[in-house]
Amino acid sequence: QVKASAEGLQLTAAHTAVWVSTPREITVWRQANSRLDRTGQTRQVTNIMLFAGERDRKAYENLVAGKNFLDDLINQVGAG
């Protein structure tokens, strides 16, 4: 389901994503979320993550840590 929302599908009315598996690639996750939190979005964007167990939760924590790292890096490069 992640690839469909990250590659080519236009979610013009979407504002909620329900993740039933944790994506393993930060780029896919960021792109899928960007399609919801887009220019012109007037509604609050909600991401719901469903975890089957501790492995999924840890994968999500790693994904968020990678996102935070990339955001910090982009901000540093942009400020420099």
Side-chain angles (χ1 to χ4, degrees):
Q1 95 274 3
V2 175
K3 292 283 187 179
S5 61
E7 298 176 1
L9 182 63
Q10 291 297 335
L11 303 172
T12 57
H15 62 92
T16 301
V18 178
W19 298 85
V20 296
S21 64
T22 304
R24 303 299 185 221
E25 300 172 34
I26 186 76
T27 55
V28 171
W29 190 58
R30 288 175 61 107
Q31 180 64 30
N33 287 328
S34 292
R35 291 187 178 272
L36 291 176
D37 194 15
R38 64 197 174 280
T39 303
Q41 176 63 274
T42 58
R43 299 162 85 180
Q44 179 178 346
V45 173
T46 303
N47 281 288
I48 300 169
M49 300 293 294
L50 302 177
F51 302 116
E54 193 58 33
R55 175 183 273 181
D56 283 346
R57 183 176 302 281
K58 186 64 178 169
Y60 174 74
E61 290 171 0
N62 290 337
L63 200 63
V64 170
K67 177 196 174 296
N68 292 341
F69 173 78
L70 287 176
D71 288 346
D72 290 344
L73 183 61
I74 290 168
N75 289 333
Q76 289 176 11
V77 170

